[in-house]
Amino acid sequence: PGGFSLRPVLHRLRGVKIGEGVWIGDDVYLDEDFPGAIEIQDNAAIATRCTLIAHTKGVGKIIIEKGAAIGAGSVIVCGFGQTVKIGEGAVVSAGSTVLNDVPAFTLCGPPRIKVYGQVTVPFRDAATFDQFRRGVHPIRAKSNGTHP
């Protein structure tokens, strides 16, 4: 409860510019030092545990445009003097790190997970992390770019 009501109201009181119909999930961090550098337009949604930081070595600006959706666990960061815009209707998939603009009505996100190695000592069975690490054998990509 509170995604459409309490959380937007509290962030508005802090100085975040928030439009109508905005949904903000649990544990969302909106820049504590410069809340006025964040703008969330009408009907945008920010999922659980997202982080928006509008300053790195100085203040920038983050704009989440109308109807945009930010997936759970995403991080949006901008640097001094930079404006990062998540375009109207854009969707940022869960777990993304955004440092630059996302065009309107696009879907973006991190690459799919990759296989790095074969586990020969299960993590829960290893007595130490070093024992687990020694039991991971790298998987080499085939010449056609695929894994075995």
Side-chain angles (χ1 to χ4, degrees):
F4 281 112
S5 56
L6 182 61
R7 286 188 284 276
V9 167
L10 292 175
H11 285 296
R12 278 186 196 109
L13 290 173
R14 296 180 49 243
V16 178
K17 298 170 191 83
I18 299 178
E20 297 301 316
V22 169
W23 186 81
I24 299 175
D26 291 335
D27 296 327
V28 170
Y29 178 87
L30 301 177
D31 201 303
E32 186 175 304
D33 295 332
F34 300 98
I38 296 176
E39 177 181 336
I40 306 167
Q41 297 179 356
D42 296 346
N43 301 313
I46 302 175
T48 302
R49 295 194 175 162
C50 289
T51 301
L52 281 68
I53 300 174
H55 71 282
T56 304
K57 305 276 185 186
V59 183
K61 185 171 181 107
I62 296 173
I63 300 172
I64 311 297
E65 294 185 343
K66 294 177 183 176
I70 312 301
S74 293
V75 177
I76 302 173
V77 180
C78 69
F80 174 68
Q82 179 188 16
T83 297
V84 172
K85 289 183 183 181
I86 308 302
E88 180 176 353
V91 176
V92 175
S93 66
S96 296
T97 299
V98 179
L99 304 172
N100 297 298
D101 292 349
V102 174
F105 301 103
T106 59
L107 169 65
C108 69
R112 295 183 177 269
I113 62 171
K114 292 172 38 177
V115 174
Y116 293 106
Q118 180 180 12
V119 175
T120 62
V121 178
F123 187 78
R124 302 261 335 241
D125 293 346
T128 65
F129 180 75
D130 194 51
Q131 182 185 12
F132 166 75
R133 186 184 56 74
R134 285 193 314 261
V136 176
H137 300 285
I139 295 176
R140 307 278 184 234
K142 293 182 179 179
S143 60
N144 66 359
T146 62
H147 290 287

